[in-house]
Each structure stands twice: as C-alpha cells, then as structure tokens.
Amino acid sequence: MFQSDIAAVPARDAMLVRFDTLSPHMTIGESLEVLRHTQQDDFPVVAEGRLEGMVSKNDVLTALAEMPREARIGEIMHRDFVQSDPATPLGVLLRLMEQHDKDAIPIVEGGRVVGLLSYDQVGRYHSLVSTGRGDSA
C-alpha cells in the first residue's frame, strides 16, 4: 500500500525545499507574476520571515474574479492552516492533511518555513523511492 510504504519517512526526506512564498502585503495582481512562473499550487504567506498563512493558486484566481487587483494577499490567505516540523512522519502528515482538508502543509523549523509538503510532492517522492528500489522492496 502506498501510505504504509512511506508512513515512517520524516517530512524532511520528501518535502519540497525550493518553493515560492507570497507576502500578505503583495497585491493579487502582483502575485500573478509569481503564479505564472511556477507549477506550485499552494503558497506559504510569509511576513518578516514568519509564516502568516497559506493561499492556493485557486484562491488567487477566484479572488481575481471577485476583487480588485489591488486587494492584498493578506485579505484572502487562510489563517487556519496546519503546519509541522521536518521530523514528522509522512503517515502523520497525510492523516493531518486529510482530517483538515488541506492539500499542502508548510514545514517549519526554528520559526522559518523550510519546506512544503503536498499530496503531489508525496506522490513524486514515493515514485522516486519505488523506482530506486526496484523489485527488492
């Protein structure tokens, strides 16, 4: 089974470490420049190095249709996000994502966002590990 294969793997081994963040002071219009140049779907919202919220690409596009381009990311970000640390096992994180209906969880260490874990990233990690193991696993 997919989850049991990697349930004990710590987040640090599977998390995305190169990711974009948005600022709560950034306008929706300004954020489009970031969204245009990434395949990332979920974005930590960071101010002065501190995680303030999360926002998805869909949140931004919906807001763009309903609000002026000058509206701020801080107005649309989710403040009810789940976060974790790099040592948390993937099995725990996957359950948290399911329980809280989240597609991604920011991974925080020492008050800084150091990674991002999404269902897509877990799938990529599982695929790479499975391929690397061959039939011996």
Side-chain angles (χ1 to χ4, degrees):
M1 180 180 171
F2 168 73
Q3 188 172 338
S4 66
D5 286 356
I6 59 170
V9 172
R12 78 173 49 84
D13 290 353
M15 68 187 188
L16 189 63
V17 296
R18 291 186 186 129
F19 54 92
D20 291 303
T21 63
L22 301 177
S23 162
H25 310 294
M26 183 181 279
T27 67
I28 293 169
E30 291 168 340
S31 74
L32 292 176
E33 188 64 25
V34 176
L35 270 62
R36 257 191 289 253
H37 298 287
T38 185
Q39 292 184 7
Q40 188 176 319
D41 289 324
D42 297 279
F43 299 84
V45 180
V46 177
E48 298 176 18
R50 201 175 114 228
L51 181 61
E52 301 269 325
M54 289 289 289
V55 70
S56 71
K57 189 178 283 189
N58 285 341
D59 294 332
V60 173
L61 295 176
T62 299
L64 188 60
E66 299 172 356
M67 302 171 78
R69 290 174 66 93
E70 295 76 27
R72 305 282 174 190
I73 291 296
E75 296 174 54
I76 65 166
M77 71 182 182
H78 299 275
R79 297 174 194 277
D80 63 335
F81 57 91
V82 177
Q83 68 182 38
S84 193
D85 64 79
T88 304
L90 292 182
V92 171
L93 292 174
L94 289 168
R95 280 192 300 281
L96 281 172
M97 291 166 70
E98 184 177 355
Q99 290 168 354
H100 295 276
D101 195 28
K102 303 296 180 188
D103 292 328
I105 294 181
I107 306 300
V108 179
E109 186 172 48
R112 284 185 41 247
V113 181
V114 295
L116 190 61
L117 193 77
S118 65
Y119 285 118
D120 288 343
Q121 185 62 23
V122 172
R124 281 190 287 275
Y125 173 80
H126 184 262
S127 177
L128 288 169
V129 169
S130 296
T131 302
R133 278 196 281 232
D135 295 329
S136 62

